[in-house]
Amino acid sequence: AAGVIQSPRHLIKEKRETATLKCYPIPRHDTVYWYQQGPGQDPQFLISFYEKMQSDKGSIPDRFSAQQFSDYHSELNMSSLELGDSALYFCASSLVPSSGELFFGEGSRLTVL
Amino acid sequence: AQTVTQSQPEMSVQEAETVTLSCTYDTSENNYYLFWYKQPPSRQMILVIRQEAYKQQNATENRFSVNFQKAAKSFSLKISDSQLGDTAMYFCAFIIQGAQKLVFGQGTRLTINP
């Protein structure tokens, strides 16, 4: 069965650079979520989209922005990268918002040097 | 604010034993969902089991079952006949019905020894 696809799987950037992560949800899933998991930490909710509109916002820095496109894929843009942005970034999707059953991608590991 | 607490940072058992992971949560809401997610070394978050708060019957998925105590706000995971492949980080998570934010606990690192 098709799963959530994230790209790139690994990304290395310098401080103050910009990074873009992409997420392709499971076909027919209309809700996308972004989570950030620091080393040894639990995942922290960043932002979610339902039908291409932002539906909820968590602890997402102002330097980050995200959107969901007409084909339901989503992109997380991160600017002015800081060392503390190094983390695993998960995208998840669901068919029914707030049913709670999220399907996660394998994550994109961002390392900021 | 909703919080999820996992009081066991690490656990270790022998293969084929039964192990129970603890989770408590705090909310004033009445309608919500609870989950256990597994994160193996491959890093992917995999849903293990799901429980609707309005259901009194405890959820079961093969070797995995939960003990849901709504009044106590407790949601423990029992793994029976543990296998080496069960070695992973286990996260308890919670979402309020109608909300978008899934709140995770701190995780329990479970090691199954041969």
Side-chain angles (χ1 to χ4, degrees):
Chain A
V4 176
I5 305 297
Q6 290 188 245
S7 67
R9 293 291 309 280
H10 301 273
L11 189 61
I12 299 175
K13 290 286 185 178
E14 300 278 341
K15 279 171 55 178
R16 292 180 288 277
E17 285 191 323
T18 298
T20 298
L21 306 181
K22 296 184 179 182
C23 170
Y24 296 86
I26 292 172
R28 295 189 301 113
H29 281 196
D30 49 19
T31 305
V32 169
Y33 312 78
W34 285 98
Y35 282 81
Q36 178 192 58
Q37 185 179 26
Q41 303 294 314
D42 54 289
Q44 296 293 315
F45 173 73
L46 292 178
I47 196 166
S48 62
F49 293 88
Y50 169 62
E51 285 292 343
K52 293 155 279 185
M53 299 289 289
Q54 179 181 310
S55 52
D56 200 357
K57 193 172 180 180
S59 51
I60 185 169
D62 292 340
R63 299 177 290 106
F64 292 11
S65 65
Q67 57 181 323
Q68 187 179 30
F69 294 85
S70 58
D71 64 351
Y72 293 98
H73 94 272
S74 178
E75 294 184 6
L76 177 66
N77 298 294
M78 299 173 284
S79 61
S80 301
L81 288 170
E82 302 173 356
L83 296 179
D85 296 330
S86 294
L88 192 56
Y89 290 84
F90 283 108
C91 174
S93 72
S94 67
L95 178 58
V96 178
S98 306
S99 70
E101 189 160 356
L102 275 59
F103 295 83
F104 284 83
E106 294 186 342
S108 294
R109 182 171 296 284
L110 170 66
T111 302
V112 182
L113 302 176
Chain B
Q2 286 75 36
T3 59
V4 178
T5 302
Q6 294 177 247
S7 58
Q8 305 151 311
E10 293 188 28
M11 295 190 73
S12 178
V13 298
Q14 297 298 120
E15 192 176 7
E17 289 184 343
T18 294
V19 59
T20 299
L21 309 183
S22 301
C23 173
T24 58
Y25 59 94
D26 187 27
T27 183
S28 57
E29 300 289 333
N30 196 46
N31 297 317
Y32 50 87
Y33 304 90
L34 292 158
F35 308 86
W36 279 98
Y37 279 90
K38 169 184 177 181
Q39 188 176 36
S42 65
R43 309 174 319 184
Q44 187 166 9
M45 298 287 279
I46 302 166
L47 179 64
V48 174
I49 200 163
R50 175 177 185 258
Q51 174 83 42
E52 293 91 341
Y54 62 85
K55 288 187 177 179
Q56 292 186 341
Q57 186 173 4
N58 290 323
T60 299
E61 287 288 340
N62 300 314
R63 297 183 294 107
F64 299 87
S65 61
V66 298
N67 183 4
F68 174 46
Q69 301 290 327
K70 191 172 183 179
K73 295 180 182 173
S74 170
F75 183 63
S76 61
L77 174 70
K78 185 172 84 171
I79 305 174
S80 304
D81 186 27
S82 58
Q83 301 175 358
L84 297 179
D86 295 333
T87 293
M89 196 76 169
Y90 285 80
F91 288 99
C92 179
F94 160 96
I95 191 168
I96 296 170
Q97 187 175 7
Q100 297 278 300
K101 181 180 176 181
L102 185 65
V103 179
F104 288 87
Q106 305 91 326
T108 296
R109 185 174 302 281
L110 175 65
T111 302
I112 309 299
N113 299 306

